[in-house]
Amino acid sequence: ESISGFVSGSAVSTVKTLVKYPLDTATVRLQMPGTEFTIQNLPALFSGSFDGITAPLLSNIPAGAIFFAVKDAAKSSLKG
């Protein structure tokens, strides 16, 4: 059961990072005063949204995989 937790944890972390990273980038850009980034200019707002995503992917995927694997192993051992 911990193997499936490992695989599902890595998949969840990958999808979460790929969806959330550009949205976080857009949020930060919208909070910057006096820039070209506005809701009316969506192409500029999301351009380069995936720049720098490698580091979060390299840290989040193993963390999610280990978390879910340990959670599933603990759950199995506590059940009996």
Side-chain angles (χ1 to χ4, degrees), residues 2 5-7 9-10 13 59-73:
S2 62
F6 188 84
V7 172
S10 61
S13 296
S59 63
N60 291 343
I61 293 172
I66 291 169
F67 172 79
F68 277 93
V70 170
K71 179 186 75 80
D72 286 350

Side-chain angles (χ1 to χ4, degrees), residues 17-54:
T17 302
L18 288 173
V19 169
K20 192 173 178 237
Y21 192 82
L23 296 175
D24 286 343
T25 302
T27 301
V28 170
R29 287 178 175 178
L30 286 172
Q31 294 172 355
M32 296 170 27
T35 63
E36 63 178 302
F37 304 117
T38 64
I39 291 292
Q40 290 80 23
N41 192 1
L42 288 178
L45 182 63
F46 285 101
S47 70
S49 292
F50 289 100
D51 292 350
I53 198 168
T54 305

